Each structure stands twice: as C-alpha cells, then as structure tokens.
Amino acid sequence: MLALAVAGLLHGAAAAAFRPPSVPLLTQSPMVNSWSSADALPGTQPTFWEGSQQNMYSAIRVDGTPYTLMGVQSPVGQLVPAQNAQQLSVTVFATQTVYTFAAGPVCVNVTFTSPLLTEDWELLSRPAHYWTFDAMSCDGQQHDVQLYADINGWLVARDPTVDVSWERMTVTGPGLSSEVTALRIGATTQSPLQDTNDRPSWGYAYLLAETGSGAGAPAASMVLQGADATRTAFLSSGAIPTADNTSQPAPLIPNYEPAPASGPQTGVDRPGLDLPGYPITIASGGYSACEALCNQTAACVAWAFGIPSCGGDPAQGQCWLKGGFPSTSPNSCRVSGQKAGEPTSTGQPLVAAAAFTFTVALGAPVSRWVTIAVDEIASISWFGEVCPPYWRRALPVGNASVVPMDMLATAFSEYRAVIQACDAFDAETARMLTAVGGAEYATVAQLTYRQVFGAMQLVWVPSKADAWYFLKEISSCGCLNTADVIYPAFPQVWADAVRLAAAGTSLCAITNCPRCVATPVSALARLVPPRRFSTTAQS
C-alpha cells in the first residue's frame, strides 16, 4: 500500500519514534470509537474512548504456529498457547493506522482505515471501516498462513447483561462481483440515544467479507459463535467452526459455570467493570451492606467497598457493584469480594469472525481484508428532534428494523477505490504538513485529525433538510457544541474550510454563516499559521 511508502519517505525517524497516547483503530463519531492505549497491539484489549474494553481479536498462524496480532484470546488466560507477534512499528496517518509485525518468518502489516475525507460527505459519514492484512515471507521461503479477525457486540451494547441477537445475511446491491456475507450483532431491544456511561446501547455492528468465488480475493470462512470456541479452534487448527450459534437471544457476556464464592477480602480491590450508577455511598453497615446489596442485585457478580477513615482515601464509604470480574489488585483502603455461587470470571461474548487461508513467498505481499460497519440508526436528539447520521437521511428516522443493504454493498464494493483515495489523501496531507511544520509537526497533526473527527458527528436535520456537524462533550454532561469542545477543534474545522474554499467551494456555504463576507483564500490561510512542533520543553 502507498501508506507504507509514505511512512518511510515523509515521517522517517519522527514517526517511528512517536508513541501516541492512544492509537486510533476505528474513528468516526463519539459513539463509533476504538483505540489502542498500550505500547503494543498484541496482548492488550482495544478500548472505547473512555477506556472500557471492546474485546476484539486478531491472530495469524504461520506453518502451524499461532501468533496474536490484536487483543487477548481470553481474559482468564490463553486457552491455546499463542505468542504475541513482534510489533515493529506503528504509524498514524490522517485516515489510516499502519502496524508492522513479525510473526516468525512472515512479516505482516495491519492497516486500520477510517475514510474521513471531507470532500465527500457521503463517504465521510458512511459508517464503514476496513482492516487490511498484508503478509509476505521475510526469509525467502514459502509459508502456509491462516488469518483470523473478529468483532462483537461491545461496539453497540455496553451493559453486559443486555440480550443480543445476531443474523447472517447475503449482501446484495450495486458493484458486487461475488458473494459477500455480512454477520450482524445488536441488542435485541433497541433503545436509540440511550447510552450507558457514554457507551452506545443501540445500533448494529456488521462484519463483511467475500465468501464466494469471483474477481476479488479468495473466499473467507465466517461464523457467529462464542469467542472461546472460534478463537480456540483457530489457534489450534487454523479453522473456525462451520455452524452459527442458534441459541439466541443471549446475554452480551455469558457466564462460565458457577464457582465457590470469594468472601470479603480486606486490602484487595477489584477496579473496573462497574454497573451503571456506581459507586454509591453507604451510610451505615460498612462492607457488609455493600456485599448484601450485591447479593440482592441480579446484574452484580462482584463488589468493592472503600474503608471509612482510611488514610485520606477520597472514596471512603463508597460501594461499587460490578457487572463482571475485574482482576484483583492490592489496596489497603478497600474490601472486596465475589458474589456467592457466581463464576470466577465472565465468559466470552459471541463474535462475528472471519478466517482466511493462503500461502506467502518472497515477493509481492498477499492481501486480505474485512469491512466493519456500525449502523448507529440515530445520532443525536436536537431539541427533541431525532437526527440520523447524514448517510442515513433517506431511511426512516430511528427505525432499527431497516437493514442498510445498499450502504453495505457500496462500502464493500468500493474498497479498492476508497483505499486508493485514502492513500493519496494521507500522502498529500503528510507532505503539506511536513513542508510547513516539519516531520514532528506532521506526525502530531495527523493524529489530531483522527482525534477531532472521533468527537464529531455529521447528521441530517430533517426539519431543516440540511446537514449539520455537532461536537460532543465527553466525561461530563454529554452536551453538544459547547465552547470548550469547539475551541480545540476549531483549527481543524477551519483548515478544512480553507482547503475546500481553495478547491472552489464557497466558504460561506461551508460555515453556514448568514452574514458571511467573501474573503480571499490567501488571507484565510494566514489566519491559521502552523505552529512548529518542537521536542524542546516550552515554558
């Protein structure tokens, strides 16, 4: 891919040495967000922007030896021995993130593409992303390779107790030259615009891959099954189960078999996986009251309590109820335990999985790819008016029963054209940023591009028959377009306006300003001069 060449030519040592605080994987809107906040992608969970795990997974087998590319096989430990692939580099572009790995004698590039191209509003708002895997022999020998990737309902259903349903469908529509299968997962009862701790509790996640013979890449195997079953089968044999799970609906996160309770443990904390609305303050009764509350709450499987008058601990007397089983950690100001008769750890979610089999040799890389789409159905409520994503403007507003088949078909069939456009955009963006601010400035600015779009939502306002952009508050009220979110995004939004104006689009139309006065593009450019990034500490 062109992105690989761009990384070497334009970024060089600056990009290779840059460790983003969080690496963008899927970035489209405040509710479609996946990041890697770790030094390496293998062996760590991708997360939502607020830090909760999403439990996506990818692996590769080389001559029968399995390697993890992304995520962890199971939170309770590897069920099949698999080492993490060696991560050699990660480079963030304006629309793509490229990881490079060594999996034994095979080199693998994994590219996460979110086509955030502002010149094309249809494409910009289309909720389709691509994972591309390029594998090549690094020792000059031929190798047998199997590749695996999965997603699950964590993308659209936050509460682990919610029931999810799933469906396999054949994609039909324009541009398809072979059979394409979509695996869909979503909450059985849809509640648009009701979130849980800022996580979406509505919508559908789709995994698409080619499953028939045709002009495209060789077919994938696809299945809807529990993560334990699919991941274990792949790591063991290179194949995945052939039959979908038919026992639906089912909880997003099923439990393992019950195990003996863990009584109150002083000095032990269980951070994370809190149920919505917790912690709460326990006025009397101490940890016993917290434990009793857990036993009385069906969704609670573990608990933690802040010991009063404990060394200035700000969480004194607070009780956390847990919807899962976080790992324990020492904390002298906590008492925690596990609910009687509950399992020692939660099970794995049902996943939509795809697997490929091929051979690599020295020379041109072998590429395989999947499409991930997230249909939000509805994006915001603007003074009581439900606004859908821009791409969904022709569909019934808020109707969760509509399958966006044309969008899925178009997103899949346009894969190569979209990747080509993103490669060209990334190369030109990197070139321009490097020219005006240097390699380090370009490296940071391209990450910022993805961060800004991850906090914005392009919607269709039916009453106005117009497209509007909104920015979301995070970690507070969830309000729209407040000054403290507009301010940090303004340079990005204004730069896009300047660039589109230079291409001939009216700046007045872009800004939707009724008193807009035409201003020369050269003058506008001077309003937002780039600030050279420096590694030198600034006072």
Side-chain angles (χ1 to χ4, degrees), residues 167 184 190 204 206 375 377 392 396 398-404:
E167 181 180 2
R184 181 174 82 158
Q190 291 284 313
Y204 293 95
Y206 294 83
D375 181 7
I377 302 170
R392 223 180 191 273
N399 190 333
S401 65
V402 176
V403 176

Side-chain angles (χ1 to χ4, degrees), residues 337-380:
Q338 178 182 302
K339 189 173 178 180
E342 292 296 332
T344 55
S345 182
T346 52
Q348 289 287 288
L350 176 130
V351 299
F356 302 86
T357 298
F358 51 92
T359 300
V360 299
L362 187 64
V366 176
S367 295
R368 297 293 183 266
W369 56 278
V370 295
T371 300
I372 296 94
V374 181
D375 181 7
E376 294 182 82
I377 302 170
S379 294
I380 68 165

Side-chain angles (χ1 to χ4, degrees), residues 45 53-57 70-79 148 150-154 160 164 166 225-232 245 250-257 273 325 343 345-352:
Q45 295 274 27
Q53 296 180 350
Q54 293 179 318
N55 201 1
M56 297 181 288
Y57 185 73
M70 175 178 66
V72 297
Q73 182 194 354
S74 171
V76 296
Q78 291 289 94
L79 304 179
Y148 173 93
D150 71 38
I151 64 169
N152 60 83
W154 277 120
V164 295
W166 49 93
Q225 269 290 354
D228 284 344
T230 58
R231 296 171 185 177
T232 298
N245 188 324
L252 174 62
I253 304 294
N255 284 329
Y256 286 128
E257 291 301 315
L273 301 181
F325 294 89
S345 182
T346 52
Q348 289 287 288
L350 176 130
V351 299

Side-chain angles (χ1 to χ4, degrees), residues 141-465:
Q141 304 299 312
Q142 181 171 297
H143 300 283
D144 294 325
V145 173
Q146 294 88 37
L147 182 67
Y148 173 93
D150 71 38
I151 64 169
N152 60 83
W154 277 120
L155 291 173
V156 289
R158 174 67 180 93
D159 186 343
T161 65
V162 71
D163 281 347
V164 295
S165 299
W166 49 93
E167 181 180 2
R168 172 187 292 263
M169 58 187 70
T170 299
V171 179
T172 58
L176 298 178
S177 59
S178 179
E179 180 179 283
V180 174
T181 296
L183 306 180
R184 181 174 82 158
I185 305 175
T188 302
T189 301
Q190 291 284 313
S191 302
L193 303 181
Q194 296 184 25
D195 60 26
T196 303
N197 294 339
D198 283 317
R199 287 290 304 273
S201 296
W202 73 93
Y204 293 95
Y206 294 83
L207 180 71
L208 286 76
E210 189 169 315
T211 50
S213 58
S221 300
M222 300 186 73
V223 72
L224 285 156
Q225 269 290 354
D228 284 344
T230 58
R231 296 171 185 177
T232 298
F234 176 81
L235 295 175
S236 299
S237 67
I240 58 177
T242 57
D244 293 339
N245 188 324
T246 58
S247 301
Q248 61 172 312
L252 174 62
I253 304 294
N255 284 329
Y256 286 128
E257 291 301 315
S262 169
Q265 295 175 286
T266 302
V268 175
D269 194 13
R270 287 172 163 82
L273 301 181
D274 302 328
L275 289 176
Y278 287 88
I280 63 172
T281 300
I282 298 291
S284 61
Y287 75 78
S288 297
C290 185
E291 180 181 24
L293 184 60
C294 180
N295 289 333
Q296 297 163 10
T297 305
C300 177
V301 294
W303 57 274
F305 180 75
I307 301 173
S309 304
C310 185
D313 179 22
Q316 297 178 31
Q318 290 190 327
C319 172
W320 291 263
L321 300 190
K322 314 287 182 175
F325 294 89
S327 301
T328 59
S329 62
N331 187 324
S332 60
C333 291
R334 297 287 185 272
V335 180
S336 67
Q338 178 182 302
K339 189 173 178 180
E342 292 296 332
T344 55
S345 182
T346 52
Q348 289 287 288
L350 176 130
V351 299
F356 302 86
T357 298
F358 51 92
T359 300
V360 299
L362 187 64
V366 176
S367 295
R368 297 293 183 266
W369 56 278
V370 295
T371 300
I372 296 94
V374 181
D375 181 7
E376 294 182 82
I377 302 170
S379 294
I380 68 165
S381 175
W382 184 72
F383 290 100
E385 180 178 8
V386 176
C387 300
Y390 176 78
W391 71 270
R392 223 180 191 273
R393 62 196 180 280
L395 298 177
V397 176
N399 190 333
S401 65
V402 176
V403 176
M405 193 63 74
D406 285 349
M407 181 275 290
L408 297 176
T410 301
F412 194 89
S413 64
E414 292 184 354
Y415 163 76
R416 289 176 176 80
V418 170
I419 295 299
Q420 184 177 11
C422 288
D423 282 344
F425 178 83
D426 289 347
E428 178 62 11
T429 301
R431 185 197 65 77
M432 290 190 301
L433 290 170
T434 302
V436 299
E440 291 170 323
Y441 173 78
T443 298
V444 174
Q446 289 179 96
L447 172 63
T448 302
Y449 186 91
R450 299 275 281 285
Q451 291 171 331
V452 168
F453 277 105
M456 299 171 68
Q457 181 80 59
L458 179 61
V459 306
W460 181 252
V461 184
S463 65
K464 304 291 184 181

Side-chain angles (χ1 to χ4, degrees), residues 75-150:
V76 296
Q78 291 289 94
L79 304 179
V80 174
Q83 57 186 300
N84 293 332
Q86 180 186 2
Q87 183 173 306
L88 303 177
S89 67
V90 56
T91 307
V92 177
F93 298 98
T95 69
Q96 303 181 89
T97 296
V98 182
Y99 282 91
T100 302
F101 301 101
V106 169
C107 297
V108 187
N109 288 327
V110 182
T111 303
F112 299 87
T113 303
S114 295
L116 303 171
L117 304 179
T118 53
E119 292 89 345
D120 186 341
W121 285 10
E122 200 72 38
L123 180 60
L124 176 66
S125 69
R126 183 194 299 164
H129 309 256
Y130 305 104
W131 293 351
T132 303
F133 302 84
D134 298 297
M136 184 175 68
S137 172
C138 289
D139 65 357
Q141 304 299 312
Q142 181 171 297
H143 300 283
D144 294 325
V145 173
Q146 294 88 37
L147 182 67
Y148 173 93
D150 71 38

